[in-house]
Amino acid sequence: MTESRNYRLVHGGGDEAEIPHILIVGGGYLGMYTAKRLEKKLGAGEARITVIDPNSYMTYQPFLPEAAAGSIAPRNVVVPLRKVFKRVRVLGGRVVRIDNADRTVRYEPNLGEPETISYDYLVMAAGAVSRTLPIPGLAEWGIGIKTVEEAAYLRNHVLDQLAIADSTDDEDVRRKALTFVFVGGGFAGAEAIAELEDMVRDAVRIHPSIEQSDVRFYLIEAADKILPEVGPEVGTKALNQLRRRGIDVRLKTFLESAVDQRIKLSDGAEFDAGTLVWTAGVKPSPVVSASDLPLGPKGHVDTSEYLIVNGAENVFAGGDNAQVPDGNGGYYPPNAQNAVRQAPVLADNVIATLRGEKPKAYRHKNLGAVAGLGMHKGAAQLFGKIGLNGRLAWYAHRAYHLFAVPTFNRKFRVLSDWTLGFFLRRDFAALPDMIEPRQAFEEASNPQVVEGGHLRRVS
């Protein structure tokens, strides 16, 4: 099925007019905010706007560690795209190929036959995915924390590991279940291990056979520091804070193998671990390489300071899947802060191009970085001058992200979760069977009997 490059709109008087099609690949920070601004500033007859994303929601990723720890309900860290827009069409599926020479994309809906969709203006906002390495066992046993599904799984899995350890006297099984390994000491890794360690510390009290000293958390980082985004002084204090909590932070260390959940590190350490979380970097979405767009040395879409793709007419990009020059010989970090701030500039430049006007350059001064490291604990660097640790940094973290999370609905829900957390004990209900919800039904449909001391399924 091939869609016409132009869209016909019937006006009240019966006249037909052809209007351009703006196609946005990705519904994350950049895609959602860009589409929202385009919808607001363009008249209904100026352009048709389409967003394509496998999910029907935008995930506010800075809240994923807190969702994994149960401080925020998973549904409250996502924003339904169709509720945000009024005139933007949202297509659920994946763009698997971009042929800009023909102004078309190959689109695979979540259900149904693949289609070819044409466009007049293209916005690349496909984001990033976890960057993995060919480490034996990693693909089989590792998990990232880039999606809300991963965050929800991690919470259930970690609590289930405590239940496993509390339900057996086998020391090998207990030791493996109570060993948690996180690889990557950037924002994602440091926040995830800190939040989950905080949750486990609280949860131990309801597991009679487990002592806090039985639990082992490892943070493996190849560099000589963690949280480089908050600066060396604040990062060092955060490192010391994690170590005081009993987290074994190993710098200048690599994961060499995870075959059969047997962890082997470059410093010679070797042990079993029931949990392996991989947060060691990201890479542009695979659709970026499946295109004829110019790419940079690390696989990002190559753009100008105007967020216009170099050498490609009417194509724009930003966020995690683009390299945007910062005016000082480098590139802006592909993070959420820049994606949110690039969106209005990118949208305005699409409008300027559409109307034959001059685009504006993207310029942004880093306002700082904030990290939550568990309840009442954090690290922050504000305006490049003010370094905070502990409770003050935690307040800064929560205040900034409450302001930044989209829509009043989500702000109120997140604030409600936090407020309840002050008055009620943390909830430790785990639902590990959610990953296989049909298991109980299948077992009921195929009952088992005991023969010779062993279960046998009745066919």
Side-chain angles (χ1 to χ4, degrees):
M1 175 180 177
T2 301
E3 190 176 288
S4 170
R5 180 172 301 179
N6 291 316
Y7 177 75
R8 291 186 176 274
L9 178 68
V10 178
H11 295 281
D15 297 331
E16 290 187 348
E18 293 185 347
I19 62 174
H21 183 200
I22 301 173
L23 180 62
I24 301 174
V25 179
Y29 300 106
L30 185 72
M32 188 192 79
Y33 282 110
T34 298
K36 184 65 177 173
R37 190 172 180 90
L38 288 171
E39 179 183 65
K40 179 181 179 180
K41 300 188 73 172
L42 285 173
E46 282 193 272
R48 177 171 60 112
I49 308 164
T50 302
V51 173
I52 299 179
D53 195 280
N55 300 311
S56 61
Y57 52 80
M58 183 275 265
T59 302
Y60 191 72
Q61 293 184 356
F63 280 156
L64 291 180
E66 290 195 60
S71 298
I72 302 175
R75 67 180 181 277
N76 292 339
V77 305
V78 299
V79 179
L81 292 174
R82 290 181 175 87
K83 194 170 183 179
V84 172
F85 304 131
K86 296 179 180 178
R87 293 187 291 109
V88 174
R89 188 180 183 193
V90 178
L91 298 180
R94 297 180 183 275
V95 172
V96 296
R97 174 68 194 173
I98 298 172
D99 291 304
N100 189 56
D102 295 330
R103 291 284 199 273
T104 62
V105 302
R106 190 65 173 168
Y107 158 66
E108 292 185 354
N110 291 332
L111 184 64
E113 294 298 317
E115 304 175 16
T116 298
I117 299 178
S118 57
Y119 60 84
D120 295 286
Y121 298 84
L122 178 69
V123 176
M124 286 298 297
V129 298
S130 294
R131 176 176 58 84
T132 60
L133 298 174
I135 298 172
L138 175 61
E140 292 77 12
W141 300 108
I143 185 172
I145 190 165
K146 282 284 293 175
T147 69
V148 68
E149 293 84 3
E150 288 175 324
Y153 169 83
L154 265 177
R155 180 178 183 277
N156 287 322
H157 171 78
V158 169
L159 291 174
D160 192 43
Q161 294 300 297
L162 297 181
I164 289 171
D166 194 34
S167 304
T168 182
D169 293 325
D170 188 317
E171 284 303 317
D172 290 336
V173 173
R174 283 171 55 85
R175 189 178 302 108
K176 178 179 178 180
L178 296 176
T179 300
F180 307 91
V181 178
F182 291 68
V183 182
F187 260 109
E191 288 190 304
I193 194 171
E195 291 285 353
L196 285 165
E197 190 275 340
D198 208 45
M199 181 186 74
V200 169
R201 186 175 291 274
D202 282 350
V204 161
R205 63 184 175 80
I206 68 170
H207 296 81
S209 72
I210 303 176
E211 300 290 338
Q212 182 60 39
S213 58
D214 298 331
V215 182
R216 298 187 298 169
F217 274 88
Y218 292 88
L219 179 59
I220 311 304
E221 170 54 47
D224 60 355
K225 57 187 174 184
I226 66 168
L227 290 172
E229 300 90 344
V230 298
E233 183 177 349
V234 175
T236 298
K237 289 182 178 179
L239 170 64
N240 294 334
Q241 179 189 137
L242 295 181
R243 284 175 168 164
R244 285 195 299 270
R245 290 162 59 177
I247 298 174
D248 188 341
V249 183
R250 303 201 178 192
L251 304 177
K252 299 181 181 179
T253 306
F254 302 87
L255 174 66
E256 292 188 340
S257 176
V259 174
D260 295 329
Q261 296 185 297
R262 184 70 176 174
I263 303 298
K264 295 182 181 180
L265 303 178
S266 60
D267 63 3
E270 188 173 335
F271 50 85
D272 290 333
T275 305
L276 173 61
V277 182
W278 180 266
T279 65
V282 295
K283 62 182 179 181
S285 170
V287 70
V288 172
S289 59
S291 73
D292 56 356
L293 299 174
L295 306 181
K298 295 185 178 180
H300 298 81
V301 180
D302 184 31
T303 75
S304 70
E305 61 182 344
Y306 302 100
L307 304 175
I308 298 173
V309 176
N310 290 318
E313 185 180 3
N314 297 342
V315 182
F316 304 78
D320 290 354
N321 68 183
Q323 58 174 36
V324 180
D326 61 9
N328 297 313
Y331 299 99
Y332 288 105
N335 56 26
Q337 184 180 135
N338 276 299
V340 170
R341 286 164 175 76
Q342 286 169 359
V345 178
L346 193 154
D348 288 349
N349 285 348
V350 172
I351 295 170
T353 304
L354 179 65
R355 295 174 177 174
E357 299 170 356
K358 186 177 180 181
K360 296 180 180 179
Y362 173 71
R363 289 287 182 264
H364 168 60
K365 184 178 180 181
N366 186 18
L367 300 179
V370 290
L373 301 176
M375 190 65 71
H376 303 141
K377 297 175 282 287
Q381 180 70 257
L382 307 179
F383 310 109
K385 299 177 181 179
I386 305 172
L388 301 175
N389 286 92
R391 190 180 290 265
L392 284 177
W394 180 75
Y395 284 136
H397 163 78
R398 287 205 159 180
Y400 172 78
H401 287 300
L402 184 63
F403 172 78
V405 66
T407 77
F408 175 79
N409 181 296
R410 279 330 188 240
K411 293 179 195 293
F412 185 80
R413 290 178 181 273
V414 168
L415 185 59
S416 298
D417 285 344
W418 286 343
T419 303
L420 286 173
F422 279 113
F423 297 102
L424 302 177
R425 283 282 193 176
R426 196 192 297 259
D427 182 15
F428 299 117
L431 303 171
D433 290 340
M434 286 182 66
I435 59 173
E436 296 180 5
R438 295 190 67 254
Q439 181 177 346
F441 185 81
E442 290 174 352
E443 290 177 356
S445 302
N446 299 283
Q448 296 177 326
V449 297
V450 178
E451 289 185 359
H454 299 282
L455 284 172
R456 182 178 68 82
R457 190 174 298 279
V458 177
S459 59

